[in-house]
Amino acid sequence: MRNAESTAAPAFSTPFLLFAQYGGKAVIPIEDVCRDYFAHLTPEKLLRKASAGEIALPVVRMEGSQKCHKGVYLQDLADYLDARREAALKEFQQLHRS
């Protein structure tokens, strides 16, 4: 039997939680995103994977320069996390059907 709580809507939205986590920043520095959600990667490797489409996460460049600060828009990170959660829930439900 499936746990009803596993598919219930979360009490807080992902964008709201990220807003609180990152102190209201609209664009989160790539180093922070890497540290908090991709700890197995360096910021450079995360940028390469995002540029190659291996990680579906748009990167915002503050200027046109390659050396400029880079970050991830809060809503894009929320969408990415929500999509990963949906994939995990689908896999969980397939494994635990009764």
Side-chain angles (χ1 to χ4, degrees):
M1 184 165 135
R2 279 188 352 196
N3 181 350
E5 291 180 21
S6 68
T7 58
F12 295 102
S13 70
T14 306
F16 175 81
L17 294 171
L18 290 173
F19 185 81
Q21 179 179 357
Y22 292 108
K25 292 179 183 175
V27 177
I28 305 153
I30 199 74
E31 294 80 11
D32 294 349
V33 173
C34 191
R35 177 195 66 225
D36 296 338
Y37 295 99
F38 298 92
H40 61 290
L41 300 175
T42 64
E44 294 77 19
K45 183 74 172 179
L46 174 58
L47 288 169
R48 277 195 299 266
K49 285 182 167 259
S51 294
E54 295 174 36
I55 295 176
L57 196 58
V59 174
V60 176
R61 295 181 188 279
M62 294 299 122
E63 295 180 40
S65 164
Q66 288 292 336
K67 294 184 179 187
C68 70
H69 285 284
K70 296 163 191 74
V72 177
Y73 184 64
L74 185 138
Q75 185 64 53
D76 292 336
L77 180 57
D79 292 344
Y80 178 84
L81 294 174
D82 287 343
R84 299 302 303 159
R85 179 181 183 265
E86 287 300 316
L89 283 174
K90 183 177 179 181
E91 181 180 346
F92 176 84
Q93 290 168 352
Q94 289 174 346
L95 292 172
H96 294 91
R97 287 186 184 165
S98 46

